[in-house]
Amino acid sequence: MYNLDNLGWKNDSRYNEDQVARVITVQKNSYRVSDGETEYHAHLSGKFLNEIVSSLDFPSVGDWVEVQKLPEEKKAVIKHVLPRKSQFVRQAAGNRTDAQVVAANIDTVFIVNSLNHDLNVRRIERYMLLTYESGATPFILLTKKDQVSEAEVQKAISSVSEVAIGVPILTISSVTGDGMEELLEQLQPGKTSALLGSSGVGKSTLINALFGEKIQETKDIREDDSKGRHTTTHREMFILPNGAMLIDTPGMREIQLWDGETGIETTFHDIEELEKECKFSDCQHHSEPGCRVQEAIANGDLSEERYNSYLKLQRELAYEKRKQNQKAKIEEKNKWKKISKSQKDFYKYKLR
């Protein structure tokens, strides 16, 4: 049995702890919350729904919420989301310009990639950018160590180290247990971590290994390209036997950026530092004399692929920002149209 403290709660006199719970499962519009002793199926109050301004306002797994409990029915009404200390945000899948909070109040994001054909350093860069932007600490987890040779492991570590500068990298096998002890040292009681990665990288298998029993369903991957099908279909927080909290998320092969000005500076701080050393402050990093970026590419200190990835992510962030600004303008215009119509209808009614 767990209490709020063991769910990661830090005493806060502003809130009545009897009305505080943590969101442990999000599945479409369905929520499950826990107060440390009892789990409740929860829904959003009408007042909450009326006050929502943005998709970021909806509860996410890991959120602390103010609730009205209905103990006899094991149900609860979510009235308010408490301020978040961190939030991992991506653009929602599809063509809509909406943000989606994947997980909230996380201390560490484990960016999970497998050591087989699916290893992708460009995807790792993208996850790192959003992790830094979230306020959490990134940690690279390379799985399926039992499926590759030691030489392949070292080659993968070398490749990932070039893009995950200063970020811890751990290689593990959920099958043999190799590296699992070191991983457990990173999963501390009262702390919340999240597993983020594509389908088929072994997140569900890892959770089963940490519990020592089958908690999550797993599926085989395709042998030709090492890609997997979605196994986890919703976001859920598990409390591990040692008291640490671990959030599992559905696989995300394409992760669209939402925000990332701070994250891109941290993820690509090596390139940002090179740009500061250029001879001219307005250097475009093409063929200008004294360009440190081109010099670093020429002498092998910076790969052209990494620099191109940096430029691509900058363009993508700028494009997304323009879309968000355009959407905000349209929403503001529609809001005033509704207000104007409401006022006209009101005066028409009064004049009758």
Side-chain angles (χ1 to χ4, degrees), residues 320-343:
E320 294 303 333
K321 187 61 65 179
R322 288 195 299 272
K323 282 205 306 182
Q324 291 165 29
N325 289 340
Q326 183 63 27
K327 183 187 178 189
K329 287 179 183 177
I330 293 171
E331 288 177 344
E332 184 72 8
K333 185 178 179 181
N334 289 338
K335 182 182 82 172
W336 287 109
K337 273 186 178 179
K338 285 182 181 178
I339 292 173
S340 177
K341 184 178 184 303
S342 176
Q343 288 175 336

Side-chain angles (χ1 to χ4, degrees), residues 34 58 156 242 246 275:
S34 172
F58 284 97
N242 72 345
L246 188 60
E275 289 180 332

Side-chain angles (χ1 to χ4, degrees), residues 54-56 87 89-92 96-100 129-130 133 255-261 316-317 320-321 323-324 327:
S54 151
S55 55
L56 293 172
Q87 56 179 18
V89 181
R90 70 162 182 171
Q91 180 163 275
R96 293 178 303 142
T97 307
D98 287 319
Q100 179 187 48
L129 190 159
L130 291 179
E133 195 70 27
I255 180 163
Q256 297 186 67
L257 305 182
W258 177 257
D259 203 359
E261 285 83 357
E316 186 174 335
L317 283 169
E320 294 303 333
K321 187 61 65 179
K323 282 205 306 182
Q324 291 165 29
K327 183 187 178 189

Side-chain angles (χ1 to χ4, degrees), residues 158-170:
S158 177
S159 297
V160 174
S161 297
E162 291 179 6
V163 302
I165 301 169
V167 177
I169 301 170
L170 179 63

Side-chain angles (χ1 to χ4, degrees), residues 39-55:
E39 292 185 7
Y40 302 85
H41 288 286
H43 67 272
L44 306 179
S45 72
K47 185 173 185 291
F48 184 106
L49 285 168
N50 286 332
E51 292 176 349
I52 283 176
V53 176
S54 151
S55 55

